[in-house]
């Protein structure tokens, strides 16, 4: 790609402000093109809505058992441990599935970790925001429960359970995400 060029056509005497303005204009044009492609790829009903619901259901479950375990660890620590370990194990299995599916898809599409697991630039806001918010909420709940239950170190195991929300985002990304074709990734 050619470098910045002054408006009078003299490429040797480009000011920093002119170069920055041109780079920002190019970045904005790429951003607008990506948004146009996303709008075109996802015109109607959002695919994978069940994945978003599953993520929020797991977040609600983790939040409920965390609250119960913090309030009454003697009664609910076992339930907390069982639920959070089940969520972690399910998330770990799903993560492996995501990686296998992504490896297969990456032969034709240029996929990055940010686009796959955090849906950065690969999903419309209607999918990326709720999935990332679910992940953020469950991380906050897990850390808060671990800090609130410092006298019960078992509550730290809850910090493993966000693996499920991360893996669900990855599942949405690998199944429905919009990625550049492999041949166009360099240009």
């Amino acid at each position: 790609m050619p470098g910045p060029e002054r408006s009078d056509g003299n490429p040797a005497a480009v000011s920093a402000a002119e170069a920055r303005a041109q780079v920002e204009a190019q970045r904005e044009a790429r951003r607008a093109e990506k948004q146009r492609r996303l709008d075109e790829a996802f015109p109607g009903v959002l695919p994978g809505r069940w994945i978003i619901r599953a993520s929020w259901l797991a977040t609600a479950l983790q939040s409920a058992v965390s609250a119960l375990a913090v309030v009454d660890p003697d009664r609910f620590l076992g339930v907390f441990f069982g639920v959070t370990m089940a969520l972690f194990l399910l998330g770990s299995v799903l993560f492996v599935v995501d990686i296998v599916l992504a490896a297969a898809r990456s032969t034709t599409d240029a996929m990055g970790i940010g686009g796959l697991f955090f849906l950065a630039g690969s999903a419309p806001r209607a999918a990326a925001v709720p999935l990332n918010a679910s992940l953020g909420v469950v991380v906050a709940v897990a850390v808060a429960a671990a800090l609130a239950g410092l006298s019960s170190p078992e509550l730290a195991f809850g910090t493993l359970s966000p693996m499920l929300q991360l893996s669900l985002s990855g599942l949405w990304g690998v199944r429905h995400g919009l990625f550049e074709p492999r041949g166009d990734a360099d240009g």
Side-chain angles (χ1 to χ4, degrees):
M1 178 190 305
E5 185 175 292
R6 282 179 48 135
S7 57
D8 65 6
N10 182 359
V14 175
S15 73
E18 288 173 321
R20 179 170 177 81
Q22 287 179 2
V23 168
E24 289 295 324
Q26 291 169 349
R27 183 178 298 143
E28 187 56 39
R30 283 192 305 271
R31 196 175 297 138
E33 174 60 19
K34 181 158 265 227
Q35 185 59 50
R36 184 198 61 74
R37 288 183 57 239
L38 282 170
D39 291 344
E40 189 177 282
F42 301 101
V45 176
L46 183 68
R49 289 176 296 156
W50 70 270
I51 297 171
I52 297 168
R53 285 192 295 269
S55 185
W56 279 104
L57 181 63
T59 298
L61 180 61
Q62 169 75 18
S63 300
V65 297
S66 296
L68 291 171
V70 166
V71 171
D72 192 353
D74 294 333
R75 286 182 54 200
F76 294 106
L77 208 48
V79 173
F80 169 83
F81 185 78
V83 168
T84 56
M85 286 300 103
L87 294 173
F88 170 67
L89 291 173
L90 181 59
S92 297
V93 169
L94 187 55
F95 190 82
V96 171
V97 170
D98 292 346
I99 295 298
V100 169
L101 293 174
R105 186 169 174 192
S106 70
T107 61
T108 58
D109 293 333
M111 303 172 76
I113 296 299
L116 179 61
F117 288 104
F118 300 104
L119 307 175
S122 64
R125 290 181 55 82
V129 170
L131 284 165
N132 285 324
S134 175
L135 176 61
V137 168
V138 80
V139 166
V141 165
V143 169
L147 291 174
L150 288 177
S151 61
S152 301
E154 296 88 352
L155 287 172
F157 283 102
T159 59
L160 298 173
S161 69
M163 184 70 165
L164 181 58
Q165 283 79 359
L166 181 66
S167 297
L168 286 166
S169 288
L171 182 63
W172 198 99
V174 77
R175 291 194 66 212
H176 307 292
L178 181 64
F179 297 96
E180 295 289 328
R182 171 92 28 219
D184 295 346
D186 299 326

